[in-house]
Amino acid sequence: MKDKILEINHLKKTYHDKTGEVEALDDISFDVYDQEFLSIVGPSGCGKSTILSILSGLIDSSGGFINFNKENCILGYMLQKDSLFPWRTILDNCLLGLEITKSLTEENKKYVINLLKTYGLGDFMDKYPSSLSGGMRQRVG
Protein backbone atom coordinates (compact mmCIF):
# COMPACT_ATOMS: atom_id res chain seq x y z
CA MET A 1 0.00 0.00 0.00
CA LYS A 2 1.29 3.48 -0.89
CA ASP A 3 2.07 5.98 1.84
CA LYS A 4 -0.35 8.83 2.46
CA ILE A 5 1.65 12.03 2.00
CA LEU A 6 -1.14 14.60 2.42
CA GLU A 7 -4.40 14.65 4.38
CA ILE A 8 -6.98 17.38 3.97
CA ASN A 9 -10.01 17.21 6.26
CA HIS A 10 -12.98 19.59 6.34
CA LEU A 11 -11.05 22.46 4.71
CA LYS A 12 -12.89 25.79 4.69
CA LYS A 13 -12.12 29.22 3.29
CA THR A 14 -14.28 32.28 3.65
CA TYR A 15 -13.33 35.60 2.10
CA HIS A 16 -14.58 38.80 3.74
CA ASP A 17 -15.11 42.19 2.15
CA LYS A 18 -17.21 45.30 2.74
CA THR A 19 -20.33 43.67 1.29
CA GLY A 20 -20.16 40.45 3.31
CA GLU A 21 -18.70 36.97 3.03
CA VAL A 22 -17.96 34.62 0.17
CA GLU A 23 -17.59 30.95 1.04
CA ALA A 24 -14.94 29.68 -1.39
CA LEU A 25 -14.46 26.25 0.24
CA ASP A 26 -16.75 24.33 2.56
CA ASP A 27 -15.93 20.91 4.01
CA ILE A 28 -13.34 19.76 1.43
CA SER A 29 -11.61 16.49 2.31
CA PHE A 30 -9.24 14.26 0.37
CA ASP A 31 -5.96 12.36 0.71
CA VAL A 32 -2.96 12.20 -1.60
CA TYR A 33 -0.73 9.13 -1.73
CA ASP A 34 2.91 8.78 -2.75
CA GLN A 35 3.39 8.67 -6.53
CA GLU A 36 -0.25 9.57 -7.10
CA PHE A 37 -1.27 12.09 -9.75
CA LEU A 38 -4.17 14.24 -8.63
CA SER A 39 -6.28 16.65 -10.68
CA ILE A 40 -8.63 19.23 -9.24
CA VAL A 41 -11.31 19.94 -11.82
CA GLY A 42 -14.33 22.21 -11.67
CA PRO A 43 -15.97 25.33 -13.04
CA SER A 44 -14.54 28.81 -12.69
CA GLY A 45 -14.86 30.12 -9.15
CA CYS A 46 -15.30 26.76 -7.41
CA GLY A 47 -12.13 27.05 -5.27
CA LYS A 48 -9.47 25.10 -7.19
CA SER A 49 -6.86 27.86 -6.93
CA THR A 50 -7.90 28.58 -3.35
CA ILE A 51 -7.06 24.99 -2.35
CA LEU A 52 -3.63 25.26 -3.99
CA SER A 53 -2.98 28.68 -2.44
CA ILE A 54 -3.77 27.30 1.03
CA LEU A 55 -1.59 24.22 0.51
CA SER A 56 1.35 26.30 -0.67
CA GLY A 57 1.01 28.74 2.23
CA LEU A 58 0.03 31.77 0.17
CA ILE A 59 -3.21 32.21 2.13
CA ASP A 60 -4.63 30.82 5.38
CA SER A 61 -7.63 28.54 5.61
CA SER A 62 -10.69 29.49 7.64
CA GLY A 63 -10.95 26.04 9.13
CA GLY A 64 -10.17 22.39 8.71
CA PHE A 65 -7.04 20.33 8.98
CA ILE A 66 -4.07 19.85 6.64
CA ASN A 67 -1.30 17.39 7.40
CA PHE A 68 1.77 16.73 5.28
CA ASN A 69 2.91 13.23 6.26
CA LYS A 70 6.27 13.48 4.50
CA GLU A 71 9.33 15.28 5.83
CA ASN A 72 10.64 18.14 3.71
CA CYS A 73 7.57 18.04 1.49
CA ILE A 74 7.87 20.69 -1.21
CA LEU A 75 4.76 21.88 -3.00
CA GLY A 76 4.64 24.24 -5.93
CA TYR A 77 2.11 25.18 -8.54
CA MET A 78 1.81 27.39 -11.58
CA LEU A 79 -0.26 30.47 -10.89
CA GLN A 80 -2.87 31.44 -13.47
CA LYS A 81 -1.02 34.65 -14.21
CA ASP A 82 2.73 34.61 -14.35
CA SER A 83 4.44 36.62 -11.64
CA LEU A 84 7.61 37.52 -13.50
CA PHE A 85 9.40 40.65 -12.38
CA PRO A 86 9.55 42.99 -15.39
CA TRP A 87 12.90 44.49 -14.32
CA ARG A 88 14.63 41.10 -14.15
CA THR A 89 15.84 39.18 -17.19
CA ILE A 90 14.33 35.80 -17.98
CA LEU A 91 17.35 34.05 -16.49
CA ASP A 92 17.26 36.24 -13.38
CA ASN A 93 13.54 35.51 -12.92
CA CYS A 94 14.29 31.79 -13.15
CA LEU A 95 17.07 32.06 -10.59
CA LEU A 96 14.99 34.02 -8.07
CA GLY A 97 13.78 30.99 -6.09
CA LEU A 98 17.34 29.72 -5.72
CA GLU A 99 18.48 33.18 -4.61
CA ILE A 100 15.71 33.46 -2.00
CA THR A 101 16.47 30.01 -0.56
CA LYS A 102 20.20 30.80 -0.65
CA SER A 103 20.83 27.72 -2.78
CA LEU A 104 22.13 29.38 -5.94
CA THR A 105 25.30 27.60 -7.04
CA GLU A 106 27.10 27.49 -10.38
CA GLU A 107 25.82 23.94 -10.80
CA ASN A 108 22.20 25.03 -10.19
CA LYS A 109 22.60 28.00 -12.52
CA LYS A 110 23.90 25.73 -15.30
CA TYR A 111 20.94 23.42 -14.70
CA VAL A 112 18.48 26.33 -15.03
CA ILE A 113 20.20 27.52 -18.23
CA ASN A 114 19.94 23.99 -19.63
CA LEU A 115 16.22 23.90 -18.76
CA LEU A 116 15.66 27.21 -20.53
CA LYS A 117 17.37 25.80 -23.63
CA THR A 118 15.36 22.58 -23.39
CA TYR A 119 12.09 24.54 -23.32
CA GLY A 120 13.02 26.72 -26.30
CA LEU A 121 13.91 29.78 -24.26
CA GLY A 122 17.69 29.74 -24.60
CA ASP A 123 17.74 32.71 -26.98
CA PHE A 124 15.64 34.76 -24.56
CA MET A 125 17.65 34.37 -21.32
CA ASP A 126 18.93 37.96 -21.46
CA LYS A 127 15.59 39.44 -22.55
CA TYR A 128 12.88 40.84 -20.30
CA PRO A 129 9.37 39.42 -19.78
CA SER A 130 7.77 42.12 -21.96
CA SER A 131 9.50 40.62 -25.01
CA LEU A 132 7.96 37.15 -24.54
CA SER A 133 4.67 35.71 -25.69
CA GLY A 134 2.12 34.56 -23.10
CA GLY A 135 3.05 30.91 -23.59
CA MET A 136 6.73 31.68 -23.23
CA ARG A 137 6.04 33.64 -20.04
CA GLN A 138 4.17 30.61 -18.63
CA ARG A 139 7.14 28.35 -19.39
CA VAL A 140 9.46 30.79 -17.61
CA GLY A 141 7.08 30.91 -14.64
Side-chain angles (χ1 to χ4, degrees):
M1 186 169 162
K2 293 183 180 176
D3 294 332
K4 189 185 303 185
I5 59 173
L6 172 64
E7 297 175 78
I8 297 176
N9 293 305
H10 309 291
L11 189 63
K12 294 179 66 85
K13 178 62 181 177
T14 304
Y15 291 101
H16 302 273
D17 66 16
K18 293 177 184 177
T19 61
E21 296 182 341
V22 174
E23 195 169 70
L25 301 173
D26 182 31
D27 200 26
I28 303 295
S29 297
F30 61 90
D31 298 327
V32 179
Y33 293 86
D34 193 32
Q35 298 183 6
E36 182 176 55
F37 183 85
L38 176 73
S39 295
I40 302 173
V41 180
S44 179
C46 74
K48 301 178 299 286
S49 295
T50 299
I51 292 170
L52 295 173
S53 293
I54 291 169
L55 289 175
S56 62
L58 295 174
I59 62 174
D60 292 326
S61 70
S62 301
F65 171 78
I66 298 171
N67 185 38
F68 287 96
N69 294 323
K70 185 175 182 181
E71 280 189 43
N72 301 320
C73 189
I74 297 172
L75 175 73
Y77 80 99
M78 176 80 60
L79 298 168
Q80 293 173 359
K81 181 181 182 306
D82 70 72
S83 297
L84 302 178
F85 290 118
W87 61 87
R88 291 181 67 110
T89 66
I90 300 311
L91 178 59
D92 288 340
N93 267 288
C94 289
L95 297 174
L96 183 60
L98 294 168
E99 292 172 14
I100 290 170
T101 60
K102 300 188 184 335
S103 55
L104 179 59
T105 64
E106 274 305 309
E107 183 180 348
N108 287 343
K109 184 175 180 177
K110 287 178 185 175
Y111 182 75
V112 169
I113 290 170
N114 189 47
L115 284 175
L116 286 169
K117 290 177 182 176
T118 298
Y119 292 112
L121 297 165
D123 294 338
F124 296 90
M125 285 188 283
D126 296 322
K127 304 285 186 201
Y128 292 88
S130 61
S131 64
L132 270 60
S133 70
M136 293 169 84
R137 290 174 64 106
Q138 283 296 94
R139 282 183 276 162
V140 172

